[in-house]
Amino acid sequence: MSAGFNQNEIVPDNYKLLISEDQIQKRLKELGKQIANDFKGQKPILIGVLNGGFIVLADLIRYISIDLEIDFIRISSYGDKRESSGHIKILKPLSADIKERSVIVVEDIVDTGLSVKFLQNMFSAFDPKVLRFATLLNKPARNKIDADIHYIGFDIEDKYVVGYGLDDQQLKRNLRSIYFIE
Ligand code: IMP
């Protein structure tokens, strides 16, 4: 796949490759197939969690071979810090009505699990028919909350990762692979 530009131009020396572009796409294809099978005959709505989840959602939906809708929600995460404050605010609410709908919330990464728990509580109150969570990355060692996540791309170690929508102080979201910072 063509990267469009030489990614090394914006990869600092202390970034180490963790998951390549090809590995990400291969895994999203598998998850897309699984979702299409699980929701056959329904028109699920996939909700991307901004900012990080926008690239995952964009690529994932193109591997799902059934009709679907999308929406986005934006919640505050870490600001420019690398630790969760635990206080979550809604910065952009949902536009769609999810009552009696099949809903799949798409996250970039589950770290402490606090964001997923917050969204689980909030979306459940709208009475969806089905509510599932998907995440490209999960850090089991960091999970504080036993959040129920149905679709997981990769379990990774407790390292801060960047690229593919994930930021390093708001930068590097445009990298096609995922790196950890050494
Ligand atoms: P949680 O609420 O602690 O699970 O955090 C989830 C959010 O924190 C994610 O949606 C990301 O925005 C951010 N986050 C957590 N870990 C990382 C990381 O390693 N790199 C970049 N962002 C991260």
Side-chain angles (χ1 to χ4, degrees):
M1 208 176 290
S2 159
F5 67 95
N6 180 358
Q7 301 273 291
N8 292 332
E9 286 172 23
I10 57 163
V11 177
D13 287 344
N14 63 336
Y15 279 23
K16 302 293 162 208
L17 183 68
L18 183 65
I19 307 171
S20 72
E21 179 181 1
D22 285 351
Q23 287 173 301
I24 295 169
Q25 295 302 323
K26 189 166 165 255
R27 186 70 185 118
L28 288 179
K29 194 172 182 177
E30 290 169 357
L31 292 180
K33 260 194 187 164
Q34 210 180 325
I35 290 171
N37 264 328
D38 293 352
F39 290 88
K40 205 179 280 169
Q42 304 177 46
K43 290 189 184 74
I45 177 158
L46 280 86
I47 299 175
V49 184
L50 297 171
N51 283 337
F54 78 109
I55 296 182
V56 185
L57 186 82
D59 281 348
L60 178 64
I61 60 167
R62 286 177 287 176
Y63 292 119
I64 302 176
S65 60
I66 56 170
D67 271 327
L68 55 84
E69 290 179 31
I70 64 153
D71 197 359
F72 289 97
I73 186 165
R74 184 165 180 207
I75 56 174
S76 60
S77 56
Y78 299 0
D80 286 343
K81 302 194 183 68
R82 288 186 187 171
E83 278 294 319
S84 173
S85 65
H87 299 286
I88 298 165
K89 279 189 297 193
I90 299 170
L91 302 178
K92 181 216 164 292
L94 270 193
S95 307
D97 180 4
I98 60 168
K99 190 175 165 66
E100 283 160 32
R101 298 291 308 269
S102 297
V103 176
I104 306 163
V105 182
V106 180
E107 276 274 15
D108 49 358
I109 186 164
V110 175
D111 186 45
T112 60
L114 291 167
S115 305
V116 166
K117 196 74 206 163
F118 172 85
L119 294 171
Q120 235 158 20
N121 290 338
M122 185 179 65
F123 290 148
S124 303
F126 295 130
D127 277 334
K129 180 174 157 208
V130 179
L131 178 61
R132 287 190 178 170
F133 282 76
T135 185
L136 179 64
L137 305 173
N138 179 40
K139 290 185 197 169
R142 296 262 309 166
N143 295 171
K144 280 191 192 159
I145 281 167
D146 193 17
D148 187 14
I149 302 159
H150 217 91
Y151 306 100
I152 296 178
F154 302 92
D155 280 326
I156 61 166
E157 282 176 55
D158 179 8
K159 286 181 170 151
Y160 194 84
V161 290
V162 299
Y164 198 74
L166 293 153
D167 74 301
D168 180 2
Q169 296 177 63
Q170 300 308 326
L171 301 177
K172 312 301 181 189
R173 296 190 199 269
N174 49 336
L175 290 171
R176 290 175 174 248
S177 299
I178 293 169
Y179 303 79
F180 66 87
I181 304 179
E182 219 174 36

